[in-house]
Amino acid sequence: MEKFAKWYVETILKNANEVLIILLVISSILGIYTLFGLKVNADITGLAPKNNPDFEDLVKYTTEKVTSNTLIVVIDGVKKLNPDSIAQELKDIFEKTDYINQAEPFDNPETLVKYGMLALGEGSIGDTLNYYQSLARVEPKTLIDFRFWRNLGVALYDLNSYIENLVQKSGIKKYYLLSPDKELIVMNFSMKKPMSDVKFVTQAVEYLKKVIKEFEERKGVKTYFTGGVMSTYEANKQASKDFTFTTLISMVAIIIIIILGFGSVLELIILSSGLILSMAIALGLIAIFLRELNIVTTFVNAMLLGMGIDYAMYIVTRIQERFNVEGVSRESIVNAFIENFRPSFISMLTTALAFMGMFLSASNAIKQMGLSVSLGVVVYFFVFNTFVPIMHDKLLSKFKERQRETYIRIVDIVRKNKALMSLTIALTILLSVVGVYSILHFSYTTSSLIPKKSETNIASEIIAKKFGSVASSDVVIAAMNSETLSNEISKLKEKGIITSDFSILTFIQDPEKIAEEKSNIYLQVLQITNTPFLEVLFKKYGLYESFVSTVDVIKNITTTEDLFKLMEKDIPSLFYQDINGKKNLLAYITSSVNIWEGNNFKNFFESLSGYKVYGYAVLFYKIITELIHSTIWVFGIVFLIELIVLYTDFRRFRKASMILLLTTLNTLAAFGISYLVGIKTTFITFIVLPIFLGIGVDSLVELDHSVKYGRESIIKTEKAVIMSILTTVASFGSFLFAQGQLLREFGFVTSAGLIGTLIISLFWYLNVAERIHRKSSNRQTVSQEEHAQ
C-alpha cells in the first residue's frame, strides 16, 4: 500500500494544474445540479419499503382516503363580523384555485367520520334506538331517586336544542363551525391531491397563503392553517430549513476549530476550499442517485461535513509535523502522505463499507442513508487526499516551521493517568448499562419534526381552547365480510382496547342475512324516521333522506352485494378496495387511550396484531417497526464487515474485536447519557447504532497505527484525533440548533457518542495499545537476543 501511496501522491503533484481543473469543473457542475436537483421530502410514506405489498397497500389507503388530504382553516377575530359572509367569501376564493377540491360541509358523513363525530354510541343504530325507546317504558315507581328524571330532562332538552340548532344550518352555515364565543370559525377544505404528494402540498399551501393574505387585511382577521396537509408542509419546510441552517453552523464551527487548532489562515483557506469542493461533488452525486432526501437523510450533509473533514485533519497534521521535523519541502509532503495513507484509507474503508452494508436493509430510509454516506465518505477522502497535498506543494514558500503545540503534549501526559483510565472504564460500562435499558424501552412516540410554536400546533391549540377538541378517527380495521368485522369489533371492546366504532354495522346489525332480515330492516328504518331525537339527529348527518328513500329500495335487495352498493354511494369511506382488488368493509375505531402519550402508540398497535388495520398512524407504526428490525439487521451486517476489515488490517482477531467492543460500549453509553437527560430512544436515534460502528472506529485505528512509529507519531495523531472529533462534534452538534425536536435529539446522542469516542480513545484504548506494543517489542527483543546467542 505504501508503494501505491507514493506513486499516487507523486503523480498528482506532477500533474497538479490538470488535477485542480478537473476537480473544479466536476464540483462546479455537480454543485449547480445540487441547487436545482436535490429536494427534501419529509413525508413519512417516503420511508416505506419499496416493492412491499403490505406497505404499498397502506400507502394506497392513505393516498385515497379523505382523511389524508384535508386542510383545516381557522379564522380568528370574527366576533364583530358576519360569519356567513366570511365563510362564503373564503369558500369562493379557495374553490377557485387549482389546489382545493371543495369546502367540506359538516353534515357530510365523510367529514364527520374524519373528525370522529359520527358516533352514536358503542353499538348499532338499533341499540341506540332501543335505548331511547326503553326510556319511555321505565316505570317511575321503580326509581326512587327523582334526580334521575330531572337530570334526564335537562340532558334531553339540551340534546334536542343542540341538534335542532345544527339542523337549522343550511347553505353556507353547514360549511363552518362557529365557536361559542362567536370569535372563531373553523372550515375544512379537501385538496385535489393527497398529502403524500409533498411537492403539490408545498405549492398549494404557499399559494393559498398568498391568496388569504389580502383577505386577512381586508377583513381584519387572522387565519391559521392546520390538519394533515399543513403538518406535512411545515415538516417538509422545517426539514429543509434545518438542513440549510445546520450545514451553515457546521461550516462556521469547523472554521473556528481549524483556526484554533492550526493557527494558520492559509490552512483554513485550503481546508475550506476542500470542504466546498467535496460537499459540491458529494451532494451532486447524491442528487443524481436519490433526487431527494427523506427525514432520515435530511442531516446527511452535516454528517458528511463532520466525517469528511477528518481526512483533512489527518493529512494536514502529518504534513505540518513533517515540516517541523524534516523541513518545508515536497519530500515532506510525500512522506506525510505515505505515512497517513494506510490508516486513513482503512478508516475510510470501514466507514464506507459499514454504511454500504445499510443498503442490504429492507427499509428505504436506511438504504438512502447508507448510499448517501458511503458515497460521500469516499468523495471526501479522495478530494482531501488529492487537494490538500497539491495546495501545500503549490504554496510551499508560504509555510514555515512551527513549534509543536504545548497543549497536545499536556494531553499526552494527562491521558496516561491511571485514575482517569479507571474512571473512563467505570463510567462507560455504567452508562452503557443505562443505554441498554433505554434501547429495551424503545419509544414509538417520537418528537415532532416541527417546532412547538409552529402554525399547525398554534391552530390546534386555538381549536382545542374554543371547541374542547377536534378528534380524528384515523385508525380503521378492515374485514372481507360483516360477520368477521362484527366479531373483531366485539373482541376489541371486550378487551377494553377500543371504546367505539363506526361501520356498516352501525346501520345494519347482520348484513349477511339481508335477504332474510330485510322486513326487519324496513321496520327499523320506519322506526328511526319516527323517533323524534333520532329523526333530528339523522337530518343533521345528512342521512335522513337517504334512509327514507332506502325504504323502497330495501324491498328489492336480494344479496349482500346489493346492500353494499347502496351504502357505498352514501358513505364510501366505509369501503375500501385493497391493492389486490378485494373489497373490504371498514370500521373506524376509537382507542381507549391516547395513543400519542407515553408508549401507548406501541401498546395499542401491538394489541391490534392479527387484525387488518389501515390509517396514517398505522403506516407510521409499521414504518418504525420496519426501521427497528432493519437497524438491528444492519448493525449485525456492519459489525461483521468491520470485523473483517479490521482483521485484514491488523491480522489480529483479538485487536479487531476489542476495537469493535469499545465502539459498541461507547455507543450504548451515548444512549445512556441521553436517557439520563430525558431523551428516549426513538427510531431516529436508534439509527445511531450502525452509524457509530461506521465512524467510531476511525480514531482507534489511527491511534493504533501511530503506536508503532513512536511517541512523536502518537502526539501528532492525538492532535489529529482531537481535531477530527471536535469538527465532527461541531457538525452533529449543529443539530442542537435545529427547530425540529427530532433532529435536536439526534444531534445530542451523536455528539455525546463522539465525545465518548475521544475520551475512550485517549484515556483507555491508546494506553492499552501502547502497553501491548511494548510487551510485543520486548518479546521480539528477547527473541532476537536469544537467537543471536
Side-chain angles (χ1 to χ4, degrees):
M1 191 172 283
E2 282 75 13
K3 289 182 179 180
F4 173 80
K6 188 175 188 298
W7 170 83
Y8 182 82
V9 69
E10 288 177 346
T11 301
I12 62 173
L13 292 179
K14 188 184 298 183
N15 303 282
N17 291 333
E18 292 84 350
V19 173
L20 286 177
I21 291 173
I22 292 172
L23 282 176
L24 187 61
V25 171
I26 293 175
S27 63
S28 298
I29 293 173
L30 292 177
I32 293 171
Y33 182 79
T34 300
L35 293 175
F36 298 99
L38 187 62
K39 308 296 181 184
V40 177
N41 183 350
D43 181 37
I44 191 70
T45 59
L47 302 183
K50 304 299 181 185
N51 303 317
N52 184 309
D54 291 337
F55 280 97
E56 287 178 355
D57 195 25
L58 283 167
V59 172
K60 179 178 182 288
Y61 175 87
T62 58
T63 301
E64 291 179 2
K65 288 302 166 182
V66 71
T67 54
S68 67
N69 69 337
T70 301
L71 177 70
I72 301 174
V73 180
V74 178
I75 311 169
D76 197 10
V78 300
K79 193 168 187 177
K80 296 180 180 179
L81 302 174
N82 184 338
D84 286 0
S85 174
I86 293 290
Q88 185 65 60
E89 188 169 343
L90 188 62
K91 179 177 181 293
D92 294 340
I93 291 172
F94 273 27
E95 287 182 341
K96 287 178 183 178
T97 69
D98 296 329
Y99 302 102
I100 298 297
N101 181 41
Q102 65 178 13
E104 296 182 25
F106 279 93
D107 63 355
N108 184 339
E110 292 281 320
T111 306
L112 298 170
V113 166
K114 181 193 319 176
Y115 277 81
M117 294 167 64
L118 192 50
L120 304 177
E122 296 184 5
S124 66
I125 284 177
D127 295 334
T128 305
L129 177 65
N130 291 334
Y131 167 73
Y132 279 106
Q133 291 177 335
S134 67
L135 291 178
R137 294 195 294 269
V138 174
E139 296 184 23
K141 62 182 181 181
T142 63
L143 295 171
I144 300 175
D145 190 352
F146 290 97
R147 287 177 299 178
F148 168 81
W149 292 105
R150 183 172 67 252
N151 294 337
L152 177 64
V154 171
L156 293 179
Y157 175 80
D158 289 344
L159 174 64
N160 189 51
S161 300
Y162 175 71
I163 293 175
E164 285 182 346
N165 180 52
L166 292 175
V167 171
Q168 289 171 3
K169 288 189 175 183
S170 60
I172 189 60
K173 289 184 181 295
K174 65 183 180 181
Y175 288 97
Y176 69 88
L177 294 178
L178 183 64
S179 63
D181 62 3
K182 315 296 184 184
E183 188 69 34
L184 195 75
I185 284 178
V186 175
M187 298 183 71
N188 289 315
F189 293 92
S190 60
M191 311 297 288
K192 289 188 176 179
K193 292 183 180 181
M195 70 181 186
S196 56
D197 188 337
V198 178
K199 182 179 180 182
F200 170 81
V201 166
T202 301
Q203 292 174 345
V205 172
E206 290 179 353
Y207 180 78
L208 294 173
K209 277 291 180 183
K210 291 179 182 177
V211 168
I212 209 170
K213 188 174 182 181
E214 187 273 334
F215 173 81
E216 286 181 310
E217 293 174 353
R218 185 158 39 83
K219 296 294 184 180
V221 297
K222 177 66 177 175
T223 61
Y224 302 91
F225 289 176
T226 187
V229 169
M230 190 60 180
S231 295
T232 298
Y233 169 77
E234 288 198 308
N236 189 63
K237 293 297 289 184
Q238 191 59 58
S240 299
K241 287 179 182 178
D242 287 342
F243 174 78
T244 304
F245 187 57
T246 54
T247 298
L248 179 62
I249 290 179
S250 298
M251 290 287 288
V252 172
I254 288 171
I255 288 171
I256 293 172
I257 291 170
I258 290 172
I259 292 175
L260 294 175
F262 294 114
S264 170
V265 176
L266 193 57
E267 293 287 12
L268 172 62
I269 294 172
I270 292 174
L271 294 183
S272 298
S273 301
L275 271 179
I276 293 171
L277 290 173
S278 302
M279 184 167 62
I281 295 173
L283 288 181
L285 292 174
I286 291 171
I288 290 172
F289 284 105
L290 299 181
R291 300 284 182 180
E292 64 183 23
L293 303 177
N294 56 50
I295 62 174
V296 173
T297 52
T298 298
F299 41 76
V300 72
N301 191 46
M303 284 176 63
L304 287 176
L305 283 174
M307 291 187 289
I309 195 67
D310 291 358
Y311 306 116
M313 295 294 105
Y314 295 138
I315 184 64
V316 168
T317 304
R318 282 181 168 83
I319 289 175
Q320 279 195 350
E321 186 64 23
R322 289 285 177 170
F323 282 172
N324 295 336
V325 175
E326 301 172 358
V328 180
S329 65
R330 172 178 284 194
E331 186 180 0
S332 295
I333 297 174
V334 172
N335 290 335
F337 185 91
I338 294 171
E339 180 188 347
N340 174 73
F341 187 78
R342 181 184 180 90
S344 186
F345 178 78
I346 294 298
S347 295
M348 179 276 292
L349 191 62
T350 53
T351 303
L353 288 177
F355 280 94
M356 188 61 74
M358 294 182 179
F359 202 70
L360 299 175
S361 168
S363 168
N364 190 47
I366 293 182
K367 280 183 179 179
Q368 289 191 15
M369 168 70 77
L371 179 62
S372 302
V373 177
S374 57
L375 189 64
V377 163
V378 173
V379 169
Y380 275 79
F381 171 82
F382 171 77
V383 171
F384 277 123
N385 280 279
T386 303
F387 183 74
V388 170
I390 288 176
M391 294 309 298
H392 277 77
D393 185 56
K394 280 189 166 295
L395 301 171
L396 207 56
S397 61
K398 304 292 183 181
F399 291 99
K400 298 178 181 179
E401 295 179 17
R402 292 196 309 135
Q403 293 296 319
R404 295 185 182 90
E405 292 85 355
T406 304
Y407 77 92
I408 291 297
R409 296 188 175 276
I410 293 174
V411 169
D412 189 60
I413 295 171
V414 172
R415 60 97 177 167
K416 296 177 182 178
N417 186 292
K418 292 184 178 180
L420 285 175
M421 182 177 178
S422 300
L423 181 62
T424 300
I425 295 171
L427 280 177
T428 301
I429 294 174
L430 181 62
L431 288 172
S432 65
V433 172
V434 180
V436 171
Y437 177 85
S438 177
I439 291 173
L440 292 176
H441 290 78
F442 184 97
S443 175
Y444 278 70
T445 307
T446 62
S447 300
S448 176
L449 274 172
I450 57 179
K452 292 182 179 179
K453 294 184 179 180
S454 65
E455 184 173 338
T456 299
N457 291 333
I458 291 173
S460 297
E461 289 174 4
I462 292 174
I463 292 175
K465 184 178 179 181
K466 299 290 185 178
F467 291 96
S469 66
V470 179
S472 175
S473 189
D474 176 58
V475 182
V476 303
I477 58 173
M480 299 298 294
N481 56 68
S482 61
E483 184 178 357
T484 303
L485 189 66
S486 177
N487 291 336
E488 291 180 348
I489 291 172
S490 298
K491 288 178 182 177
L492 291 174
K493 286 182 178 178
E494 287 172 7
K495 293 178 181 178
I497 297 170
I498 67 173
T499 57
S500 62
D501 66 279
F502 176 72
S503 67
I504 62 166
L505 301 176
T506 306
F507 303 100
I508 300 172
Q509 192 66 39
D510 198 348
E512 303 299 333
K513 297 181 180 180
I514 184 67
E516 302 172 20
E517 299 294 333
K518 64 181 182 180
S519 59
N520 292 334
I521 297 171
Y522 181 88
L523 292 174
Q524 188 183 68
V525 171
L526 289 179
Q527 285 180 313
I528 289 173
T529 57
N530 288 287
T531 302
F533 294 114
L534 291 178
E535 179 181 353
V536 181
L537 191 63
F538 280 97
K539 281 182 179 178
K540 160 65 181 98
Y541 291 149
L543 298 174
Y544 181 79
E545 291 78 7
S546 294
F547 274 107
V548 173
S549 62
T550 299
V551 172
D552 293 327
V553 179
I554 286 175
K555 296 176 183 178
N556 301 316
I557 290 178
T558 57
T559 66
T560 309
E561 188 63 28
D562 291 336
L563 174 66
F564 290 166
K565 285 180 180 178
L566 173 69
M567 298 191 71
E568 192 169 3
K569 276 199 246 174
D570 287 327
I571 315 180
S573 58
L574 297 183
F575 301 85
Y576 170 65
Q577 184 171 302
D578 64 24
I579 199 169
N580 298 314
K582 296 180 180 179
K583 183 78 72 176
N584 287 267
L585 306 179
L586 304 180
Y588 290 77
I589 58 177
T590 302
S591 169
S592 57
V593 295
N594 183 348
I595 64 173
W596 301 107
E597 286 184 359
N599 216 19
N600 290 339
F601 191 73
K602 174 190 176 185
N603 298 332
F604 176 65
F605 285 112
E606 281 185 348
S607 66
L608 294 179
S609 176
Y611 296 88
K612 193 173 183 180
V613 192
Y614 289 103
Y616 200 76
V618 180
L619 177 61
F620 186 52
Y621 167 76
K622 294 203 171 184
I623 285 176
I624 292 178
T625 303
E626 179 62 36
L627 277 173
I628 294 171
H629 294 157
S630 293
T631 301
I632 295 171
W633 163 254
V634 167
F635 180 83
I637 294 294
V638 171
F639 192 94
L640 182 61
I641 292 173
E642 297 274 276
L643 187 62
I644 294 171
V645 173
L646 292 174
Y647 177 76
T648 304
D649 182 34
F650 295 113
R651 299 292 179 180
R652 292 180 183 176
F653 181 79
R654 184 177 179 182
K655 181 175 286 188
S657 301
M658 178 184 290
I659 289 176
L660 287 178
L661 175 62
L662 291 180
T663 305
T664 303
L665 281 176
N666 176 58
T667 306
L668 294 173
F671 281 94
I673 194 170
S674 300
Y675 182 82
L676 293 177
V677 298
I679 297 176
K680 297 179 180 179
T681 301
T682 62
F683 82 93
I684 202 72
T685 57
F686 195 61
I687 300 174
V688 169
L689 276 175
I691 287 177
F692 255 80
L693 271 188
I695 66 177
V697 301
D698 288 7
S699 59
L700 302 178
V701 170
E702 290 282 349
L703 289 168
D704 195 285
H705 276 281
S706 71
V707 170
K708 59 185 177 183
Y709 291 102
R711 184 167 180 272
E712 291 302 319
S713 178
I714 292 173
I715 290 175
K716 67 186 177 187
T717 305
E718 284 175 341
K719 176 181 177 179
V721 167
I722 291 170
M723 292 287 290
S724 65
I725 289 181
L726 287 180
T727 50
T728 310
V729 168
S731 294
F732 283 101
S734 67
F735 300 142
L736 296 173
F737 296 93
Q739 291 297 305
Q741 180 68 20
L742 206 60
L743 284 184
R744 290 205 297 272
E745 292 178 358
F746 181 85
F748 185 90
V749 175
T750 49
S751 297
L754 287 165
I755 293 171
T757 297
L758 180 61
I759 294 172
I760 287 176
S761 299
L762 295 180
F763 299 111
W764 187 349
Y765 183 75
L766 183 53
N767 292 326
V768 174
E770 279 188 302
R771 191 180 304 128
I772 293 173
H773 181 73
R774 281 197 300 270
K775 289 181 180 179
S776 178
S777 298
N778 292 336
R779 281 197 299 267
Q780 288 180 0
T781 302
V782 171
S783 177
Q784 289 172 358
E785 290 176 352
E786 291 176 348
H787 182 74
Q789 291 176 356

